Amino acid sequence: MSEFSLIDFYFKQRTQKREDVLLGIGDDAALLSVPPGKILVTSIDILISGVHFPVNTLASDIGHKSLAVSLSDMAAMGAEPAWVMLALTLPEEDKTWLKGFCQGFFELADQYGLQLVGGDTTRGPLSITTQVMGFVPVGQAVLRSGAKIGDKIFVTGSLGGAGLGLLVAQNKIAVNNKNPLNKLNRPEPRVVMGKALRGVASAMIDISDGLVADLGHILTASSVGALVHLQDIPLDEVLKNTMPLKEAYSLALSAGDDYELCFTVPEAKCEPLREIFAEFSCGYFCIGLIEEEQGIRVLDEVGNPFYVECLGYQHF
Ligand code: ADP
Ligand code: MG
């Protein structure tokens, strides 16, 4: 199959068609129409085999995850995703792999009504780059920089499940449960929740590098600090039952790939949260408070400081 028929067969024919796409796959560039009164929001992520996913990860899981991580960035801005571009570097034209990849990728794309509008395809060591584009009404994007002293800090879902999944994938730990690997390979981007938090959250980020590292980005951008109560952190259920509690909390605070949202809310806007999250099954949890003193202080149930060793994965 030529490069062009491969693109046509696997990608052009599979994707949804949206009215705001004037020209999609097939020309030198795509032509896209942003609705009036809205701002274009865009984010790009590279996934490299052996770095962002274990080399033996299923193609369908890679397809899902490569889109999920970009959608999670849209969620963290309060944006509504619309379009995606896909740059693929493949070692070979492996039909089974491509079929699996597309299955995972388009299942998630269809769930959010996304159209694949272009990309690039090259030969080389496996890597996947996805650029998602979406909209947010003018002035309503939720930035990292808006946290204020006295705001409460929340997280969605639970933490540490993907971190445990990575240990399982690396054969460092054995569990009799599929959930940790699912958490690692099939993160559920909190797109609908992020959008619902517009006008409520003062600052927001998605947890891709671990709670301490990512909350740290909110604190730096907002020039504030945080007090976090260890016992209020929602631990992944399997993790809780697999490791001593201290180690479990350590992993929940430091491991990446959970793709939950971490956000701050002023006291006066905490009441509407209950109603907002009533529709969602993921749940939300208050884990602490924004303070004037810079940095993060994590306290255990008796008020002693809890130290976290690893502060997120750094590529350089
Ligand atoms: P160019 O040489 O102008 O970069 P390409 O031959 O790379 O064009 O791509 C042809 C068309 O196919 C373009 O519209 C491009 O956006 C699209 N395309 C290429 N690879 C992919 C892909 N992996 N997914 C979606 N669209 C793709
Ligand atoms: Mg090209």
Side-chain angles (χ1 to χ4, degrees):
M1 203 185 274
S2 78
E3 181 189 323
F4 301 108
S5 43
L6 180 149
I7 293 166
D8 190 68
F9 179 77
Y10 287 101
F11 300 110
K12 190 175 176 183
Q13 292 184 29
R14 281 289 292 273
T15 192
Q16 299 226 345
K17 305 275 179 290
R18 289 174 61 104
E19 295 214 325
D20 50 18
V21 177
L22 309 181
L23 193 61
I25 295 172
D27 212 309
D28 295 311
L31 299 177
L32 309 169
S33 169
V34 180
K38 297 202 176 170
I39 295 284
L40 177 70
V41 185
T42 184
S43 174
I44 190 163
D45 289 281
I46 306 176
L47 265 69
I48 294 178
S49 181
V51 178
H52 299 96
F53 53 86
V55 286
N56 58 354
T57 305
L58 286 178
S60 56
D61 288 343
I62 297 172
H64 174 97
K65 189 166 179 176
S66 61
L67 182 55
V69 301
S70 286
L71 285 175
S72 180
D73 285 324
M74 290 287 114
M77 299 300 286
E80 177 186 344
W83 312 313
V84 57
M85 298 193 89
L86 173 67
L88 265 182
T89 304
L90 305 172
E92 63 199 321
E93 192 210 317
D94 178 339
K95 291 198 172 71
T96 314
W97 191 92
L98 273 164
K99 195 167 167 244
F101 178 88
C102 285
Q103 196 188 326
F105 184 92
F106 283 112
E107 199 174 54
L108 188 59
D110 292 348
Q111 188 184 332
Y112 291 103
L114 289 192
Q115 182 168 341
L116 178 63
V117 295
D120 207 8
T121 308
T122 56
R123 190 187 290 265
L126 181 62
S127 92
I128 302 102
T129 300
T130 49
Q131 179 180 21
V132 173
M133 288 156 280
F135 322 123
V136 75
V138 175
Q140 289 190 32
V142 188
L143 311 187
R144 295 178 179 183
S145 53
K148 297 277 186 298
I149 295 160
D151 287 358
K152 290 187 170 176
I153 306 166
F154 294 88
V155 295
T156 59
S158 65
L159 298 179
L164 178 62
L166 184 61
L167 294 175
V168 173
Q170 293 170 334
N171 292 316
K172 289 182 180 165
I173 216 167
V175 292
N176 207 350
N177 194 308
K178 276 200 193 130
N179 272 338
L181 276 175
N182 248 335
K183 287 269 168 90
L184 176 70
N185 294 324
R186 294 254 165 187
E188 283 181 46
R190 303 300 188 192
V191 175
V192 193
M193 300 76 185
K195 199 177 147 190
L197 286 166
R198 286 179 194 160
V200 175
S202 50
M204 183 149 61
I205 194 167
D206 64 317
I207 306 176
S208 53
D209 294 331
L211 176 68
V212 170
D214 289 317
L215 174 58
H217 294 314
I218 287 186
L219 302 180
T220 306
S222 304
S223 305
V224 291
L227 179 68
V228 170
H229 297 289
L230 193 69
Q231 78 271 21
D232 293 335
I233 292 171
L235 274 186
D236 175 80
E237 274 301 314
V238 184
L239 175 62
K240 202 189 292 181
N241 300 320
T242 301
M243 284 187 187
L245 211 51
K246 255 189 160 173
E247 283 171 46
Y249 276 121
S250 237
L251 196 68
L253 285 162
S254 63
D257 274 349
D258 282 319
Y259 297 101
E260 296 293 349
L261 293 174
C262 174
F263 56 97
T264 59
V265 180
E267 179 81 57
K269 289 186 176 171
C270 284
E271 196 52 34
L273 278 180
R274 199 190 308 249
E275 214 171 303
I276 291 172
F277 276 88
E279 309 180 32
F280 307 137
S281 60
C282 65
Y284 69 105
F285 305 88
C286 180
I287 60 162
L289 197 66
I290 296 292
E291 295 183 329
E292 187 174 2
E293 193 187 337
Q294 308 278 306
I296 302 183
R297 285 158 295 287
V298 183
L299 300 182
D300 68 14
E301 69 283 1
V302 293
N304 289 327
F306 184 85
Y307 296 102
V308 189
E309 279 146 34
C310 165
L311 296 182
Y313 186 88
Q314 302 255 338
H315 290 272
F316 297 101

